Amino acid sequence: MKLKIAVLAGDGIGPEVTQQATQILRAVAELGGHDFTFVPGLIGGTAITETGSPLPTATLDSALECDAVLLGAVGDNKFNALPPDKRPEAGLLQIRQALGGFANLRPSIAYAALSESSPLRPEVTKDVDILFVRELLGGLYFGAPRWWNKETNEAINTMRYTRDEVVRVARVAFELAAKRRRKVTSVDKANVLEVSQLWRATVTEVAKDYPSVTLEHQLVDSMAMHIMNIPRNFDVVLTENLFGDILSDEAGVITGSLGMLPSATIGGAVNLYEPVHGSAPDIAGTGKANPLGAILTAAMILRHSANLEQDAKAVEQAVHKILDAGYRTADIARGQQPGQTPVSTQEMGKLVHQALAESIDRRQAMHAV
């Protein structure tokens, strides 16, 4: 298997966690006899410092020539005085739009070993496995007109969707649900917003093509409560850009830390992969960053761009094994609980690497028998 991956480490802790993720991908390539090529590029604040642009043309051109893009994180407060379209975050929005991925997949899984890391009771989070499918190229984030008139103290953003935009992301959600527990929960605000009324009507129409999948609708405000109270009731959660951003971050409470959450953006010319957490510049370089979100993002590259499902599962199982063994970065450690071993970013990456190598070696040995 050949795969060319653009690696855009970005700002803050981005380079640290991305390094651990690429090392896992290199291990999979070496152990499985695959040919993975990694192409570095600049984005965000580091790109502004070196080139004056949050997304240099060279970075975008290189990314479009790759099979996948692995992004670390963007953002740094020292650029806050710049106009919005010149800040690091603008580079992220620009590359999302240029690559064309419209479906953002965000898993939220309750790890038994981290049950005490969540403020929710263990009986609430037990066995939770939610996959958010967030529409990524429409809604308030990209709708026009948008402006801020500082003279009149007035600002406007536009929430806008077309039927075709809703259809394509809804089909992704139903296809994924058909391979899971066969339930889609579509989230909107149809009691108030015309855009949500279009969304609900369109999703209902698409559901007719998937008779084996159950569809339910939830209003976004009640859904925010249900995710905290009855998260096991949900399988695939489908929603628009803004609601998906908020709800999937809220679901980080289930896992215990945003540092555990991966994501994949599919459907465009090149799939874009990035952990959900931000750049966290306050802990950059301290060894406190949790690389597991980035490592689990690497597993999504293996699943969705390389079609290496077994290897993707092996990475995820390695993460489970290390957590079950009690290894913790600062964000998922809880007090002086017995059985916990504090580790740095790099140490956590090495532990997952070792567990992965052992898993793949066992699998290959079984095949050789």
Side-chain angles (χ1 to χ4, degrees):
M1 173 68 199
K2 287 189 175 183
L3 201 69
K4 189 176 181 182
I5 305 169
V7 180
L8 313 182
D11 307 321
I13 63 173
E16 300 167 62
V17 299
T18 302
Q19 181 184 30
Q20 302 308 316
T22 55
Q23 287 177 351
I24 293 298
L25 290 170
R26 292 182 194 278
V28 169
E30 181 180 349
L31 294 166
H34 306 300
D35 181 7
F36 291 174
T37 303
F38 300 91
V39 183
L42 298 172
I43 194 171
T46 55
I48 293 172
T49 299
E50 293 202 26
T51 72
S53 169
L55 181 63
T57 300
T59 295
L60 181 56
D61 290 345
S62 176
L64 288 168
E65 293 175 355
C66 291
D67 302 303
V69 175
L70 172 60
L71 189 146
V74 298
D76 194 315
N77 291 334
K78 69 182 182 182
F79 298 104
N80 286 351
L82 294 176
D85 62 340
K86 303 295 183 184
R87 295 176 189 169
E89 294 79 7
L92 178 57
L93 293 178
Q94 289 165 16
I95 197 168
R96 284 176 178 173
Q97 194 166 31
L99 296 181
F102 57 84
N104 182 227
L105 314 182
R106 292 189 170 193
S108 182
I109 297 172
Y111 296 89
L114 298 182
S115 62
E116 297 300 325
S117 295
S118 172
L120 301 178
R121 299 190 311 276
E123 62 267 28
V124 173
T125 61
K126 186 176 185 295
D127 298 326
V128 171
D129 181 355
I130 302 173
L131 178 60
F132 289 88
V133 179
R134 168 192 173 194
E135 200 291 323
L136 203 65
L137 294 183
L140 284 171
Y141 289 14
F142 292 97
R146 57 186 300 155
W147 43 260
W148 176 15
N149 188 326
K150 296 182 180 180
E151 293 183 0
T152 63
N153 292 317
E154 182 182 11
I156 186 169
N157 287 96
T158 302
M159 180 181 280
R160 177 185 181 276
Y161 273 105
T162 66
R163 177 185 177 279
D164 288 347
E165 288 173 324
V166 181
V167 166
R168 66 182 185 178
V169 73
R171 291 200 178 280
V172 170
F174 281 99
E175 294 286 349
L176 290 168
K179 300 174 184 177
R180 290 168 51 95
R181 301 193 304 280
R182 299 188 176 186
K183 180 181 178 181
V184 169
T185 302
S186 179
V187 180
D188 56 43
K189 190 63 176 170
N191 60 335
V192 175
L193 302 175
E194 284 79 5
V195 168
S196 283
Q197 291 162 17
L198 167 69
W199 181 280
R200 182 173 292 206
T202 304
V203 172
T204 301
E205 181 183 341
V206 171
K208 296 176 183 177
D209 294 334
Y210 300 88
S212 67
V213 178
T214 299
L215 169 66
E216 69 172 3
H217 298 283
Q218 288 283 351
L219 297 175
V220 63
D221 42 359
S222 59
M223 185 65 178
M225 179 179 66
H226 292 327
I227 288 175
M228 295 294 96
N229 290 334
I230 49 173
R232 277 200 303 275
N233 282 19
F234 305 108
D235 177 21
V236 173
V237 174
L238 166 67
T239 190
E240 61 87 47
N241 208 341
L242 177 63
F243 299 161
D245 191 1
I246 295 169
L247 291 176
S248 60
D249 278 6
E250 180 195 16
V253 171
I254 295 168
T255 302
S257 170
L258 284 178
M260 293 295 303
L261 302 183
S263 82
T265 300
I266 65 174
V270 181
N271 291 343
L272 173 66
Y273 301 86
E274 54 180 312
V276 172
H277 62 70
S279 58
D282 55 318
I283 62 169
T286 65
K288 294 180 180 179
N290 185 347
L292 295 181
I295 289 172
L296 291 168
T297 297
M300 297 187 82
I301 293 177
L302 296 172
R303 174 170 292 120
H304 294 287
S305 285
N307 294 316
L308 295 173
E309 179 64 24
Q310 279 190 309
D311 290 321
K313 287 182 177 178
V315 173
E316 292 163 349
Q317 289 166 359
V319 170
H320 274 276
K321 182 177 180 179
I322 295 309
L323 292 174
D324 289 343
Y327 295 103
R328 302 286 186 270
T329 46
D331 61 311
I332 52 176
R334 284 297 176 267
Q336 301 298 319
Q337 291 181 4
Q340 288 191 150
T341 303
V343 295
S344 68
T345 307
Q346 187 174 22
E347 289 168 338
M348 181 66 88
K350 287 181 179 179
L351 288 164
V352 176
H353 184 290
Q354 292 168 4
L356 173 65
E358 292 170 3
S359 173
I360 293 179
D361 283 344
R362 282 196 303 272
R363 188 178 77 203
Q364 291 174 339
M366 290 177 63
H367 288 169
V369 173

PDB file of all heavy atoms in Angstrom, residues 38 44 67 74 80 99 117 138 153 190 228 230 259 284 335 348 353 360 362:
ATOM      1  N   PHE A  38       5.913  11.039   3.850  1.00  0.00           N
ATOM      2  CA  PHE A  38       5.445  12.179   4.632  1.00  0.00           C
ATOM      3  C   PHE A  38       6.039  13.473   4.077  1.00  0.00           C
ATOM      4  O   PHE A  38       7.261  13.592   3.925  1.00  0.00           O
ATOM      5  CB  PHE A  38       5.828  12.004   6.102  1.00  0.00           C
ATOM      6  CG  PHE A  38       5.244  10.761   6.715  1.00  0.00           C
ATOM      7  CD1 PHE A  38       5.948   9.561   6.691  1.00  0.00           C
ATOM      8  CD2 PHE A  38       3.982  10.774   7.291  1.00  0.00           C
ATOM      9  CE1 PHE A  38       5.406   8.405   7.238  1.00  0.00           C
ATOM     10  CE2 PHE A  38       3.442   9.628   7.844  1.00  0.00           C
ATOM     11  CZ  PHE A  38       4.153   8.437   7.815  1.00  0.00           C
ATOM     12  N   GLY A  44      -0.968  28.013   9.684  1.00  0.00           N
ATOM     13  CA  GLY A  44      -1.237  28.721  10.934  1.00  0.00           C
ATOM     14  C   GLY A  44      -0.203  29.765  11.288  1.00  0.00           C
ATOM     15  O   GLY A  44       0.381  30.435  10.424  1.00  0.00           O
ATOM     16  N   ASP A  67      -2.320  12.066  -0.738  1.00  0.00           N
ATOM     17  CA  ASP A  67      -3.491  11.211  -0.562  1.00  0.00           C
ATOM     18  C   ASP A  67      -4.253  11.535   0.716  1.00  0.00           C
ATOM     19  O   ASP A  67      -5.417  11.163   0.857  1.00  0.00           O
ATOM     20  CB  ASP A  67      -3.052   9.740  -0.522  1.00  0.00           C
ATOM     21  CG  ASP A  67      -2.303   9.326  -1.766  1.00  0.00           C
ATOM     22  OD1 ASP A  67      -2.860   9.475  -2.871  1.00  0.00           O
ATOM     23  OD2 ASP A  67      -1.144   8.861  -1.643  1.00  0.00           O
ATOM     24  N   VAL A  74      -3.785  24.714  15.009  1.00  0.00           N
ATOM     25  CA  VAL A  74      -3.434  26.087  14.653  1.00  0.00           C
ATOM     26  C   VAL A  74      -3.970  27.033  15.711  1.00  0.00           C
ATOM     27  O   VAL A  74      -4.977  26.762  16.357  1.00  0.00           O
ATOM     28  CB  VAL A  74      -3.975  26.494  13.262  1.00  0.00           C
ATOM     29  CG1 VAL A  74      -3.392  25.628  12.168  1.00  0.00           C
ATOM     30  CG2 VAL A  74      -5.496  26.433  13.227  1.00  0.00           C
ATOM     31  N   ASN A  80      -3.595  37.712  17.598  1.00  0.00           N
ATOM     32  CA  ASN A  80      -4.985  38.150  17.765  1.00  0.00           C
ATOM     33  C   ASN A  80      -5.252  39.552  17.243  1.00  0.00           C
ATOM     34  O   ASN A  80      -6.398  39.901  16.957  1.00  0.00           O
ATOM     35  CB  ASN A  80      -5.388  38.086  19.242  1.00  0.00           C
ATOM     36  CG  ASN A  80      -5.616  36.657  19.714  1.00  0.00           C
ATOM     37  OD1 ASN A  80      -5.630  35.730  18.917  1.00  0.00           O
ATOM     38  ND2 ASN A  80      -5.775  36.484  21.014  1.00  0.00           N
ATOM     39  N   LEU A  99      -9.716  21.747   0.155  1.00  0.00           N
ATOM     40  CA  LEU A  99      -9.673  20.294  -0.010  1.00  0.00           C
ATOM     41  C   LEU A  99     -11.053  19.724  -0.305  1.00  0.00           C
ATOM     42  O   LEU A  99     -11.167  18.632  -0.873  1.00  0.00           O
ATOM     43  CB  LEU A  99      -9.086  19.632   1.238  1.00  0.00           C
ATOM     44  CG  LEU A  99      -7.623  19.978   1.561  1.00  0.00           C
ATOM     45  CD1 LEU A  99      -7.167  19.219   2.808  1.00  0.00           C
ATOM     46  CD2 LEU A  99      -6.703  19.672   0.390  1.00  0.00           C
ATOM     47  N   SER A 117     -12.076   9.904  34.834  1.00  0.00           N
ATOM     48  CA  SER A 117     -11.635  11.179  34.271  1.00  0.00           C
ATOM     49  C   SER A 117     -12.805  12.045  33.834  1.00  0.00           C
ATOM     50  O   SER A 117     -12.668  13.251  33.641  1.00  0.00           O
ATOM     51  CB  SER A 117     -10.706  10.937  33.071  1.00  0.00           C
ATOM     52  OG  SER A 117      -9.520  10.308  33.475  1.00  0.00           O
ATOM     53  N   GLY A 138     -20.635  24.451   5.206  1.00  0.00           N
ATOM     54  CA  GLY A 138     -21.766  25.357   5.076  1.00  0.00           C
ATOM     55  C   GLY A 138     -22.099  26.026   6.396  1.00  0.00           C
ATOM     56  O   GLY A 138     -21.295  26.085   7.320  1.00  0.00           O
ATOM     57  N   ASN A 153     -21.926  49.608  14.979  1.00  0.00           N
ATOM     58  CA  ASN A 153     -21.994  48.578  16.019  1.00  0.00           C
ATOM     59  C   ASN A 153     -22.975  47.460  15.644  1.00  0.00           C
ATOM     60  O   ASN A 153     -23.801  47.016  16.454  1.00  0.00           O
ATOM     61  CB  ASN A 153     -22.386  49.175  17.369  1.00  0.00           C
ATOM     62  CG  ASN A 153     -21.292  50.061  17.921  1.00  0.00           C
ATOM     63  OD1 ASN A 153     -20.117  49.704  17.862  1.00  0.00           O
ATOM     64  ND2 ASN A 153     -21.665  51.213  18.456  1.00  0.00           N
ATOM     65  N   ALA A 190     -35.343  23.101  14.178  1.00  0.00           N
ATOM     66  CA  ALA A 190     -36.421  23.254  13.209  1.00  0.00           C
ATOM     67  C   ALA A 190     -37.643  23.974  13.767  1.00  0.00           C
ATOM     68  O   ALA A 190     -38.513  24.396  12.993  1.00  0.00           O
ATOM     69  CB  ALA A 190     -36.827  21.880  12.668  1.00  0.00           C
ATOM     70  N   MET A 228     -25.424  14.445  27.799  1.00  0.00           N
ATOM     71  CA  MET A 228     -24.893  14.328  29.156  1.00  0.00           C
ATOM     72  C   MET A 228     -25.686  13.337  30.004  1.00  0.00           C
ATOM     73  O   MET A 228     -25.151  12.729  30.930  1.00  0.00           O
ATOM     74  CB  MET A 228     -24.904  15.697  29.844  1.00  0.00           C
ATOM     75  CG  MET A 228     -23.982  16.740  29.215  1.00  0.00           C
ATOM     76  SD  MET A 228     -22.207  16.313  29.359  1.00  0.00           S
ATOM     77  CE  MET A 228     -21.902  15.538  27.752  1.00  0.00           C
ATOM     78  N   ILE A 230     -28.102  10.722  28.731  1.00  0.00           N
ATOM     79  CA  ILE A 230     -28.352   9.388  28.168  1.00  0.00           C
ATOM     80  C   ILE A 230     -27.496   9.169  26.911  1.00  0.00           C
ATOM     81  O   ILE A 230     -28.006   8.853  25.841  1.00  0.00           O
ATOM     82  CB  ILE A 230     -29.849   9.197  27.839  1.00  0.00           C
ATOM     83  CG1 ILE A 230     -30.395  10.396  27.030  1.00  0.00           C
ATOM     84  CG2 ILE A 230     -30.647   8.971  29.103  1.00  0.00           C
ATOM     85  CD1 ILE A 230     -31.812  10.187  26.526  1.00  0.00           C
ATOM     86  N   GLY A 259      -8.180  15.979  24.589  1.00  0.00           N
ATOM     87  CA  GLY A 259      -6.940  15.390  24.084  1.00  0.00           C
ATOM     88  C   GLY A 259      -7.095  13.971  23.593  1.00  0.00           C
ATOM     89  O   GLY A 259      -6.175  13.414  22.979  1.00  0.00           O
ATOM     90  N   ALA A 284       2.801  24.095  25.400  1.00  0.00           N
ATOM     91  CA  ALA A 284       3.697  23.676  24.317  1.00  0.00           C
ATOM     92  C   ALA A 284       5.119  23.536  24.833  1.00  0.00           C
ATOM     93  O   ALA A 284       5.620  24.394  25.572  1.00  0.00           O
ATOM     94  CB  ALA A 284       3.649  24.686  23.181  1.00  0.00           C
ATOM     95  N   GLY A 335      -5.611  12.870  40.310  1.00  0.00           N
ATOM     96  CA  GLY A 335      -5.092  12.825  41.666  1.00  0.00           C
ATOM     97  C   GLY A 335      -4.029  11.767  41.876  1.00  0.00           C
ATOM     98  O   GLY A 335      -3.193  11.511  40.999  1.00  0.00           O
ATOM     99  N   MET A 348       4.258   8.523  26.162  1.00  0.00           N
ATOM    100  CA  MET A 348       2.975   7.930  25.774  1.00  0.00           C
ATOM    101  C   MET A 348       3.044   7.415  24.340  1.00  0.00           C
ATOM    102  O   MET A 348       2.566   6.310  24.035  1.00  0.00           O
ATOM    103  CB  MET A 348       1.853   8.952  25.926  1.00  0.00           C
ATOM    104  CG  MET A 348       0.469   8.403  25.575  1.00  0.00           C
ATOM    105  SD  MET A 348      -0.105   7.108  26.701  1.00  0.00           S
ATOM    106  CE  MET A 348      -0.897   8.094  27.976  1.00  0.00           C
ATOM    107  N   HIS A 353       3.413   2.764  20.587  1.00  0.00           N
ATOM    108  CA  HIS A 353       4.228   2.149  19.539  1.00  0.00           C
ATOM    109  C   HIS A 353       4.573   0.700  19.911  1.00  0.00           C
ATOM    110  O   HIS A 353       4.449  -0.223  19.097  1.00  0.00           O
ATOM    111  CB  HIS A 353       5.488   2.970  19.329  1.00  0.00           C
ATOM    112  CG  HIS A 353       6.377   2.493  18.219  1.00  0.00           C
ATOM    113  ND1 HIS A 353       7.102   1.322  18.284  1.00  0.00           N
ATOM    114  CD2 HIS A 353       6.665   3.032  17.006  1.00  0.00           C
ATOM    115  CE1 HIS A 353       7.798   1.160  17.175  1.00  0.00           C
ATOM    116  NE2 HIS A 353       7.535   2.186  16.377  1.00  0.00           N
ATOM    117  N   ILE A 360       0.688  -6.304  16.068  1.00  0.00           N
ATOM    118  CA  ILE A 360       0.879  -6.666  14.664  1.00  0.00           C
ATOM    119  C   ILE A 360       1.747  -7.904  14.541  1.00  0.00           C
ATOM    120  O   ILE A 360       1.504  -8.776  13.694  1.00  0.00           O
ATOM    121  CB  ILE A 360       1.478  -5.474  13.883  1.00  0.00           C
ATOM    122  CG1 ILE A 360       0.452  -4.336  13.810  1.00  0.00           C
ATOM    123  CG2 ILE A 360       1.889  -5.893  12.484  1.00  0.00           C
ATOM    124  CD1 ILE A 360       0.934  -3.093  13.096  1.00  0.00           C
ATOM    125  N   ARG A 362       1.881 -10.389  16.640  1.00  0.00           N
ATOM    126  CA  ARG A 362       1.032 -11.539  16.965  1.00  0.00           C
ATOM    127  C   ARG A 362       0.123 -11.889  15.802  1.00  0.00           C
ATOM    128  O   ARG A 362      -0.069 -13.068  15.476  1.00  0.00           O
ATOM    129  CB  ARG A 362       0.184 -11.227  18.210  1.00  0.00           C
ATOM    130  CG  ARG A 362       0.932 -11.325  19.532  1.00  0.00           C
ATOM    131  CD  ARG A 362      -0.034 -11.403  20.709  1.00  0.00           C
ATOM    132  NE  ARG A 362      -0.940 -10.269  20.751  1.00  0.00           N
ATOM    133  CZ  ARG A 362      -0.660  -9.134  21.376  1.00  0.00           C
ATOM    134  NH1 ARG A 362       0.495  -8.965  21.986  1.00  0.00           N
ATOM    135  NH2 ARG A 362      -1.531  -8.159  21.389  1.00  0.00           N
TER     136      ARG A 362
END
